[in-house]
Amino acid sequence: MKRLFPASVGTLLLAAVAQLSLFTCLPGEEFRGHWKPLWDGKTFKGWHTIGVGSWTIEDGAIVGRKKAEEKEFGHLVSDEVFKDFVVRLKFKVLQGNSGFYFRVEEKGYSGVSGFQAEIAPDANTGGLYETNGRAWVVQPPPDVVKKAFKPNDWNEMIVAAKGGDITVWVNGVKTAEVKNDPGRREGHFALQLHGGNDMLVMFKDIEILEPAE
């Protein structure tokens, strides 16, 4: 059989393919590895609250509530700090503005500073916003959000971050992506209750991908 590439080039190509990481998966492909729960589904072990509002566990879901007259923000924050990751979760937003925060510090106006993948009952769901920083970094096109987001229903979000490369998917549709972002490279995860909003938002099945060995 005639070689398409010299042996040395072919070997390099095979090695490159073998080393493709879990962060290079395309939409619709399965991430390689094992999904490990970040939340046990029963308690708030491994998480703590800051700010206002209430967090409860109901029927296997985290439920966040807050009144609009409460102008401060509220967050449920992971105790642990994370660097590179792939996280998936399910969310249902019935009232108000929320988000999945990552690589954040517990400081600044609103209680946390850093990136969030937007969760809201509008055309910005799945975008990337930097609180106490650059504000909107990526606002997804409305037609993309309309295709991806299911109002008043459970939705799946996946956020992948490796170094400065960050990608967000909602129900398998890519809604935001940045390359070589200069922002923080590690920090906490957090779920948000936005200040000045009547809030009712739910989360479940929060998992982090452990790469295959």
Side-chain angles (χ1 to χ4, degrees):
M1 181 182 293
K2 184 179 180 180
R3 291 185 181 273
L4 295 178
F5 304 100
S8 59
V9 175
T11 300
L12 289 174
L13 286 172
L14 288 173
V17 170
Q19 291 174 14
L20 282 175
S21 75
L22 54 89
F23 300 98
T24 60
C25 293
L26 299 174
E29 291 184 341
E30 288 295 326
F31 290 100
R32 300 203 315 271
H34 170 71
W35 291 102
K36 175 185 175 181
L38 279 171
W39 174 57
D40 65 17
K42 299 176 181 179
T43 71
F44 286 120
K45 182 179 180 181
W47 298 77
H48 60 276
T49 60
I50 60 174
V52 300
S54 70
W55 297 95
T56 58
I57 299 171
E58 303 172 24
D59 298 324
I62 296 171
V63 181
R65 295 182 175 90
K66 195 179 71 60
K67 295 295 185 182
E69 53 264 31
E70 296 178 298
K71 302 304 180 184
E72 297 179 29
F73 290 65
H75 295 90
L76 181 65
V77 185
S78 69
D79 295 341
E80 191 175 347
V81 166
F82 298 85
K83 294 182 179 180
D84 293 348
F85 64 87
V86 177
V87 164
R88 70 180 180 185
L89 57 89
K90 292 186 175 72
F91 68 89
K92 182 190 291 188
V93 56
L94 300 177
Q95 283 184 294
N97 181 293
S98 184
F100 171 69
Y101 273 97
F102 55 95
R103 293 177 171 173
V104 297
E105 296 179 279
E106 293 183 54
K107 69 175 189 178
Y109 171 74
S110 81
V112 298
S113 296
F115 254 134
Q116 69 166 305
E118 181 78 0
I119 292 174
D122 59 30
N124 289 319
T125 290
L128 285 169
Y129 186 94
E130 187 180 43
T131 298
N132 299 317
R134 293 165 287 172
W136 281 111
V137 176
V138 179
Q139 280 187 279
D143 59 322
V144 172
V145 178
K146 185 176 181 180
K147 175 183 177 182
F149 177 57
K150 298 182 290 185
N152 302 314
D153 201 353
W154 286 105
N155 295 266
E156 182 183 73
M157 174 178 281
I158 297 177
V159 180
K162 183 181 183 182
D165 297 344
I166 301 168
T167 309
V168 182
W169 293 269
V170 175
N171 295 323
V173 177
K174 185 188 295 183
T175 53
E177 183 175 36
V178 293
K179 297 289 187 181
N180 300 315
D181 187 82
R184 287 173 51 79
R185 300 298 172 90
E186 68 176 40
H188 301 275
F189 296 138
L191 309 177
Q192 182 198 58
L193 296 175
H194 199 286
N197 283 205
D198 285 321
M199 290 294 314
L200 179 55
V201 63
M202 306 174 187
F203 298 91
K204 65 179 181 178
D205 302 337
I206 307 171
E207 302 173 307
I208 190 167
L209 189 67
E210 293 189 331
E213 295 181 357

